[in-house]
Amino acid sequence: MLQDKIKQYTEEIEQFSPASAADVENFRLKFLVSKGIIKSLFEEFKTVPNEEKKGMGKALNEFKQLAESKFENAQLEFTQASDAPKRQEGDLTLPGEGFQLGSRHPLSLVRKEIVEIFKKLGFIVSEGPEIEDDWHNFSALNFPPEHPARDMQDTFFIKKQDGNDIALRTHTSSVQVRMMEAGRPPFRAIMPGRVYRNEAISARAHCFFHQVEGLYVDENVSFADLKQTLFHFVQELYGEGTRVRFRPSYFPFTEPSAEMDISCTICKGNGCNLCKGSGWVEILGCGMVDPNVLENCNIDSKKYSGFAFGMGIERITNLKYEIKDLRLFSENDSRFLSQFETEMI
Ligand SMILES: [Zn+2]
């Protein structure tokens, strides 16, 4: 009976759940082609008695629509998904996808390089907190209260309290104080770290940057030791033949104090934009540790002397890679950072 066949095939179609494009094609061949089941049912319909034709015709048309819509939906599913699932299934003949490797940040690269040079000279690495009290950031370093030198560094204060402000450290010199307080000479250490200044952000200034400071305290340490150490450092970092010169300067925590220039890395001293035609660029400040600082840290300044120096890692990096905008270091732009991939160590 036609009615039974329609019922039976309707159940089959409703349960039809294709797993591949081949299943969909088999469905089409079975039901929809000119020698398929639907066509044969319509042939059979011709033999149905006239009084049953109306009801049976409706049932047959609904069955046909069901089969067609099932086929269209199944076909859509497998043509839309035909590209992506194949890849997911794992076509072993496809070329592999490369791993996206990150790269070291240029500041980390240069910091590492600086640390390595001083390590060879016997300097250890010392670190300290970024939130400091007034004593370690200022007073112990010979910045008396109300001393105008405090204005040299715009400070981010966390808590203002009489005589003992809490602030973000403005330099890593605070680590030198902590180190000297905690031990006995000799000290030979470098202090790399992040420091903070309350400055407007521009291409040439930022509210945070990185320093490496160095400290050497022992008996009979002289300015000659300071000069030779820094000269050696520059030869290692910028290459043999790089010249240095020292200019008198002022820092509260060193006496005498100096700023050190190196012969311009770009023009080799002939004059260019970077060195503003002078042939020299400043890279760090240094000096003999002020006896007051030693005494503040309970070190006998009659017996011991020392030198200290400090440099901005950003400045050293700018000179090395000719980077002109400080903001690039903290914007996390992969177009900038990926340029240092080859420097991966
Ligand atoms: Zn130059």
Side-chain angles (χ1 to χ4, degrees), residues 265-266 274 316-325 328:
T265 51
I266 309 299
L274 180 79
I316 306 286
T317 310
N318 288 352
L319 288 175
K320 202 172 165 60
Y321 295 112
E322 295 176 54
I323 296 162
K324 294 192 172 64
D325 192 330
L328 286 167

Side-chain angles (χ1 to χ4, degrees), residues 153-174:
Q153 302 178 348
D154 295 314
T155 308
F156 280 119
F157 289 101
I158 291 171
K159 202 153 99 188
K160 282 269 198 183
Q161 49 191 38
D162 266 349
N164 193 17
D165 300 331
I166 304 294
L168 293 175
R169 68 181 179 196
T170 58
H171 47 198
T172 46
S173 310
S174 52

Side-chain angles (χ1 to χ4, degrees), residues 264-277 279-281:
C264 178
T265 51
I266 309 299
C267 64
K268 308 292 173 207
N270 296 322
C272 69
N273 279 343
L274 180 79
C275 57
K276 299 190 181 75
W280 296 96
V281 281

Side-chain angles (χ1 to χ4, degrees), residues 42 64 87 102 104 126 138 170 183 199 213 226 281 303:
F42 272 93
K64 186 183 173 213
R87 288 178 74 89
R104 277 185 194 269
S126 182
F138 288 121
T170 58
E199 291 190 28
E213 293 203 359
L226 168 63
V281 281
K303 188 178 179 192

